[in-house]
Structures are given as structure tokens and as C-alpha cells.
Amino acid sequence: MNQKALVRVLLIVLAVMLVLGMVASFTPLLGNLGGQNKGNPAVKVNGTVITDQDLESVRRGNPVLGLTQDGVLGDDFKTAIVESKVQETLLKQGASDQQVSRAEVNDAVSKLREQLGLKSNKEWVDRLQQYGFTDASFREAQRTQLAWQKKLKALQDATPKGTPAEAQLYYTLHPDEFKSEARIVGRQIAVSSEAKAKQLLAQAKGGADFAKLASENSTVNKDRGGALGPIENGEPKPVAKITLPAEVGEAAFALTQGGLTDVVKSGDKFYIVKVERFVPASTQPFEAVRSKAIDAVTKQKQDAAVEAWYTDLRNKANVEFVDSAWKWDDSTVATVNDQRVRYPELLTRMLSDQQLPALLQQLPPADAAKTVNGFVKPGVLDTLVNEYAASEIVKAQKLPLVGSRTALLASLEAYGARDVKITDAQVRDAYQKNISAYRTPASANISEISFASREKALAFRTAFAASPKNLSSSAARAGGTVNELGTVQQGQADQSGQPKLNPLLDKAVYDAGRLEPAGEGSLSDVVEVNGRFSLAYVRDLVRGSTKPLSEVSDQVRETLLQEARTQAGQAYLQAQLKGLKITKSLDKVLAAQEKRVAAQAPKTTPAGGTGTSGAAQGTTPATGGTSGTTNK
């Protein structure tokens, strides 16, 4: 067990959020919690002090928040840091009614020490010091974590279970969660020799009894004729893809119409699978999954209860700023009916996006701020508004949908798309329009032989077809040069976008149908290429093929269905939004932020001139300052 294991334990709030499955809904920003409450008072949450060192520890523990302390982004990061510590403090206060005994704490610590292999007290104390803890402060952190776990369990236990009616609707709106896996009925032969596998494949293709071949030759399941699954009523039972080696499963499950795979190598064995019947994935009947659907609804209700509990804590919180340098922007960026969307909530959600760090690190701070303000924040706000709106719509429409705001939005869009159907005609039309997606292009290992004249090229073609010896030396003696192109697909382009094989030669290889056998390969016709005359020596030719509609119809239908559901769900949501009172004020908040940040920027004095203000630069929070208070 490495040090990361201890880090995971130390990030107490994050661990609790993971239990809830609600990290994205709350804060992803919690950094090194450090056990010592050192530093100067900066913020109070319902009277509980948060020091400047507590806040700086969050910055140090999150690489994104440490990118800059200046400008618009620095101001955003400061707000996010304060919000994360406020959330942490509120969660701790909210769980203060839970009793945790000293024995429970000791047991948790003992298990962790055993897990990490820290037998001596010195090893334990030294490891804790690496993360800013003493034994006493870490035990207090453990007590807090255990209290949170108890509180969450109490909230979940107090939540009513899902009803059959709610479960039925959930089942209807989320059919993909209740699909059985695709399975196959078939048999396999596994041998240790590739040559023997190829011989057995040839016999199977020639009509030999596959079960008999497996019984006589296979090293796997030979006692049941190579059957993939146990024999039941004289037939092999269907098996899922996971029961086969990865490479074998890929080849076998591609045969949706049944048939024989080629020889497939996996590990030290060579496999052949005969697929007798393909059983596609399908939605199981409700009665078969009733309990699973009820559990899913119950989980959604529990998430909603926890979200409501925390929202109530947050709305009632009294946040006081002892150090004005840490005062945040708690502006309203949108309202949905009487619900308020706060700027810190937008920042928390934005910073939970795992792609954001890469964006911020690729751009200079000024450019990053423009991109974030111009594109990222408006998109995040739209999502938040839709989530708040979903709860209002569900309430107004009296729909039997449950869950957190995020879950309600997904369920509401699914509800709006519940009647979407795809016809066979739509499947056929989509297949024809995108038929290239179902084509496997022809390919071959190609050597291009080039000559100065057509006569020399034709003479070489005739001589090499009659006596195919070493290609390079034969071409050289005939006055030609050889260019080994390797495996080339029909119509393939190189990295610069140019054809890897000259189009005329490509056509001669794949379309002309006049390849002349020559040893292990064949020779194409001679064509003129850039003033010279070339032909191709072709080996390992694989003809192109197109999967028939019967083989891919389920795939096409599923793609169309998902696209149609998305469009219908979004259209339904947009129609419902018109009945709500929604205002957005992000532009005003950002304009005020830019003005405030510019005013707070340190003054600079050019040589020989008067002091001027730096453009759009923020200040680094420092101790001292006046007191400010904000509620809710």
C-alpha cells in the first residue's frame, strides 16, 4: 500500500461525497485537510472559524487552484476555495448530532495502520506528519468522517423506498439499464499449434462435424464437444462475451448471423469458434427486474434527500468574512422561479470538469480567462438552470419522477422521449446513407516496382510470373526499382493526406481483377505513374466487404433511437421551460468582476512617470482587513 492510500483516507469530505455518488453536485475541490487549525481567522461559518491557512491548504492541495492568484481566474479560484471550506464546515456541523465512540475511532485507526503496514508508532506519526496531521488531529478527522457516514446513513434510512409505480416508470424511461447482455450458443476448439488449428478450420469449413473435431482435438471443453456453455437438454447454454478470452470474444461476437471464426490466437493457444446462434441484447421483462428498478428509485430518493438536506444547510448558513481579502462574490447568476443559482455553485460545477485543467494549462491566464468567461461559464450555467428548472417542471406537472436535480433533468428528458419509435424504413434509409461505415476496405501487402519504359515493365512481369525468385534482385536485373509500401488499404492516404498508393495502381490492384499469380503473391497490370511505368507485387490480399443490413440492423436502430430520443427529450424540455420564470445575469456578474479585479490590481510606477493601474490583475489574499458578512 503506497502513500496514495493514506491520501484517499485523509480527504474526508471527498470520501463521503463518493459514498453519496454526488461529487459533481457538491464540491470536487477539497484538498489537503491538514489537521492543524493554524493561521489567522479569515471566515466564520455559523460561528466556526476558518483560518487563512485552512484556505491556503485547499489551494496547495488542488493543482488547478494553484495556477494563478491574479486576475479574473485568481478571483474565481479564491471564491471556489472559500466555497469548498464552507461546504466542508457545514457538512461537519450537520453531522454533529451523531455520536461516535472512542472505540469506533480507535478501531478505524487500527484498521488503517494495519492496511498501510505501519506497525510502530514512529512510522505512524512520521506518515501523518507528511500530511500535516498529529495522531490526535487525525483521530478527530476520523471521528468527523464516521459521524458523516452515520448521518448519511440516517438520512438514507429515513427515505421512503421506491414504489412499484415509480419503479415501473423508471424502467420505462431507462430501458438500457435493464438489458441482458448479448450471448452466443456455440462451440470452440483450442489447440497449441497454429498449423493444426488451420487444418481443423479447413475441415470444419469442409463440412466436418465441429463437435467431433472438438472432442478429438480441443484442449478446452473436449468432454462436451467444445460447447462454450454447459449442456442443458442436449444443447449448449448461451454464454456472455466475458466468458471467452478477449480476442476470441471479439471474433465470435462479431458473427451475429452465426458461422466460423478464423483462427484466433490468445495467450499460448489458437482458437476456432463456431457460433450456432447469436442471442442479441434485449430489455428484460419488468417482472424479472422489479427489485432492481425499485432499488434504483430508492437510491434516487436517497440522493434527493441528501441534496435537500445540504441545500437547507447552505441556505441557512451565516458566512462572515473576518478578513476582507478573502471575501468572495456570492452574486446570483440566474433565477428559476424563486430558486437562486449562485455564482460559487457555478464555479464549483465548472471546476469539477476534468477537461478544464488541460484547457487552463494550455493558455496564458488572460486568454484562459476570456475562454472560460466566454464559453465555459455560459455552458455550465445553462446546465444548472436546466437542472433547477427540471425540479420545478416535475413539481408543476406532478410527474412521479424522483432524484437529485441532475437526475431529474435526465429523467425529464427521457420522459419527453418516452414514445419515440424507429421504423424499419428509417433503419434501411440510414444504412444506405452511411453504408461506407459498414465497409471493410480491401488491403494487401504491396511492393511497387517502377521502370523507365513500359516494355521493360511488361518484360519483367512476364519473366517474374514464370520464375518468381527474389523480387528486389530480379527487378534490379531488369532495370527496375522496388518500393516496399507495406500493408495498404484501398484508397488509404498517408499522414499528409496524399494517397499512399497511386490511384491508378490502386485501381489495378483492387478493381481490375487481372492479378497474375507469381509465387507467394501476384502481379498487377502495368500503369504509367509520373512518367514511369509501375506494377505492384501483391501479397496477403484481403478483398473488401460490406456488412449486410441484416447483420447491423440492431446497431443502426440503436444509434437512430438514441439520436431521436435526445432530440425529442431536449425539445420537450425547451417547451416546458417556456412556462417558467427564468432570468440570467451572468454577463452583469462577469462585467462587475472585471471592474472589481482591475480596481484591486496593484499600482505600478513606470520610470520617470506617475503611478498607473495594472490591467485586470487581481490581488493575492493576505491577512488583515475589514470585516464583512454575507448570509445564504
Side-chain angles (χ1 to χ4, degrees):
M1 183 68 65
N2 57 30
Q3 292 187 356
K4 290 183 179 179
L6 183 56
V7 174
R8 287 195 294 270
V9 175
L10 302 185
L11 297 181
I12 299 171
V13 176
L14 183 57
V16 174
M17 292 298 100
L18 287 171
V19 171
L20 289 175
M22 299 175 67
V23 177
S25 299
F26 291 144
T27 176
L29 307 173
L30 301 174
N32 180 6
L33 297 180
Q36 304 297 319
N37 189 25
K38 297 178 180 179
N40 300 306
V43 183
K44 288 184 180 179
V45 180
N46 297 329
T48 299
V49 173
I50 299 173
T51 70
D52 55 358
Q53 290 302 306
D54 293 332
L55 295 168
E56 288 295 348
S57 71
V58 177
R59 192 194 308 278
R60 290 193 300 271
N62 187 297
V64 176
L65 300 179
L67 287 175
T68 181
Q69 298 184 39
D70 299 323
V72 168
L73 287 180
D75 188 69
D76 282 344
F77 294 162
K78 177 185 71 175
T79 297
I81 288 168
V82 175
E83 176 71 8
S84 72
K85 292 301 291 186
V86 169
Q87 290 178 358
E88 177 194 328
T89 303
L90 289 173
L91 289 170
K92 184 175 181 178
Q93 292 174 349
S96 61
D97 59 346
Q98 301 299 307
Q99 299 299 315
V100 178
S101 69
R102 177 177 295 183
E104 289 175 299
V105 174
N106 290 341
D107 183 57
V109 171
S110 296
K111 288 180 178 178
L112 177 61
R113 288 183 61 170
E114 182 179 351
Q115 188 180 25
L116 296 175
L118 302 175
K119 296 181 179 180
S120 74
N121 289 335
K122 184 178 186 307
E123 290 176 317
W124 170 246
V125 171
D126 288 347
R127 184 69 66 89
L128 288 178
Q129 286 179 346
Q130 294 177 21
Y131 301 101
F133 281 89
T134 64
D135 181 72
S137 65
F138 182 75
R139 288 176 185 275
E140 182 58 30
Q142 278 289 308
R143 182 185 300 279
T144 299
Q145 181 179 17
L146 293 171
W148 283 341
Q149 290 173 348
K150 287 187 174 185
K151 183 65 177 183
L152 295 173
K153 188 176 186 305
L155 290 167
Q156 292 166 343
D157 290 347
T159 304
K161 290 187 176 181
T163 67
E166 291 168 337
Q168 177 71 66
L169 181 58
Y170 186 91
Y171 168 85
T172 301
L173 300 183
H174 304 88
D176 291 344
E177 293 185 24
F178 303 98
K179 276 190 173 181
S180 61
E181 291 183 87
R183 294 168 296 159
I184 58 173
V185 176
R187 300 175 185 272
Q188 68 179 336
I189 296 172
V191 293
S192 57
S193 166
E194 183 177 13
K196 184 175 182 179
K198 288 182 177 179
Q199 291 175 359
L200 293 169
L201 177 60
Q203 293 178 50
K205 287 181 175 180
D209 185 297
F210 194 89
K212 184 178 179 182
L213 289 175
S215 296
E216 294 174 349
N217 298 279
S218 182
T219 61
V220 178
N221 298 340
K222 64 186 305 178
D223 58 330
R224 59 191 193 202
L228 296 174
I231 302 296
E232 188 175 272
N233 299 323
E235 269 195 27
K237 290 187 69 174
V239 298
K241 190 175 183 178
I242 196 172
T243 62
L244 300 172
E247 303 88 346
V248 181
E250 287 295 328
F253 276 76
L255 300 175
T256 56
Q257 302 302 304
L260 287 165
T261 68
D262 288 328
V263 173
V264 180
K265 185 178 187 300
S266 181
D268 59 353
K269 289 186 173 63
F270 297 88
Y271 294 80
I272 309 164
V273 177
K274 182 179 182 181
V275 178
E276 298 173 355
R277 181 162 56 93
F278 183 85
V279 184
S282 60
T283 302
Q284 301 174 78
F286 175 70
E287 289 305 320
V289 294
R290 175 197 290 263
S291 62
K292 181 179 178 181
I294 289 177
D295 288 345
V297 172
T298 300
K299 177 63 170 59
Q300 284 197 325
K301 285 185 168 184
Q302 291 173 342
D303 286 349
V306 173
E307 183 177 75
W309 169 75
Y310 176 77
T311 299
D312 184 61
L313 287 178
R314 187 66 190 83
N315 288 340
K316 293 178 179 178
N318 180 35
V319 181
E320 302 175 73
F321 288 88
V322 182
D323 183 350
S324 62
W326 282 100
K327 190 171 183 179
W328 61 8
D329 183 0
D330 196 29
S331 300
T332 298
V333 289
T335 58
V336 180
N337 287 351
D338 59 349
Q339 296 190 84
R340 175 188 176 213
V341 183
R342 300 166 49 251
Y343 188 53
E345 182 180 6
L346 183 152
L347 294 179
T348 296
R349 178 67 66 86
M350 180 184 78
L351 289 166
S352 71
D353 187 341
Q354 296 181 354
Q355 297 179 350
L356 185 66
L359 171 66
L360 297 179
Q361 291 170 352
Q362 289 172 2
L363 299 172
D367 293 341
K370 290 179 182 178
T371 300
V372 168
N373 282 357
F375 299 99
V376 180
K377 289 178 183 176
V380 173
L381 180 61
D382 286 344
T383 299
L384 285 172
V385 167
N386 288 344
E387 289 177 359
Y388 275 90
S391 63
E392 295 291 304
I393 294 167
V394 167
K395 183 167 52 178
Q397 299 286 340
K398 297 181 179 179
L399 299 175
L401 301 175
V402 297
S404 64
R405 288 187 291 267
T406 301
L408 282 179
L409 176 59
S411 293
L412 188 65
E413 291 182 334
Y415 181 82
R418 65 193 183 282
D419 295 326
V420 169
K421 298 288 188 295
I422 298 298
T423 66
D424 291 342
Q426 288 174 301
V427 172
R428 288 193 297 271
D429 184 57
Y431 172 76
Q432 291 298 332
K433 287 181 178 178
N434 299 283
I435 197 167
S436 60
Y438 309 107
R439 284 198 182 115
T440 300
S443 65
N445 188 295
I446 293 177
S447 302
E448 180 181 356
I449 311 102
S450 176
F451 294 88
S453 69
R454 182 182 298 276
E455 291 73 17
K456 287 185 177 182
L458 290 172
F460 167 79
R461 187 176 191 271
T462 301
F464 192 76
S467 180
K469 296 181 179 179
N470 183 277
L471 180 66
S472 297
S473 58
S474 297
R477 285 195 298 271
T481 57
V482 176
N483 182 17
E484 300 286 355
L485 298 177
T487 300
V488 181
Q489 290 184 345
Q490 185 176 13
Q492 182 179 355
D494 60 21
Q495 293 181 345
S496 65
Q498 297 300 312
K500 191 171 181 180
L501 184 64
N502 180 275
L504 292 176
L505 203 54
D506 187 281
K507 186 175 182 179
V509 171
Y510 295 115
D511 294 334
R514 294 192 297 272
L515 295 178
E516 179 73 18
E520 296 179 352
S522 54
L523 294 165
S524 74
D525 287 342
V526 174
V527 298
E528 186 174 358
V529 177
N530 299 323
R532 290 179 64 84
F533 297 87
S534 297
L535 67 160
Y537 185 55
V538 182
R539 286 165 290 196
D540 302 325
L541 176 65
V542 178
R543 294 293 182 186
S545 62
T546 300
K547 291 182 179 179
L549 176 59
S550 59
E551 186 175 331
V552 298
S553 61
D554 289 342
Q555 175 187 343
V556 177
R557 187 182 300 276
E558 185 63 26
T559 300
L560 289 176
L561 187 60
Q562 293 301 327
E563 292 174 351
R565 282 175 175 168
T566 298
Q567 292 174 2
Q570 291 177 349
Y572 175 80
L573 175 65
Q574 293 304 313
Q576 298 302 314
L577 289 175
K578 294 177 181 178
L580 302 178
K581 185 179 179 181
I582 298 174
T583 62
K584 296 181 182 179
S585 50
L586 178 61
D587 288 345
K588 293 181 180 178
V589 171
L590 296 182
Q593 180 192 42
E594 284 197 24
K595 185 177 180 180
R596 182 181 67 254
V597 168
Q600 293 173 345
K603 305 294 183 179
T604 59
T605 305
T610 59
T612 59
S613 175
Q617 296 298 312
T619 57
T620 302
T623 58
T626 60
S627 174
T629 302
T630 179
N631 294 315
K632 300 184 183 179

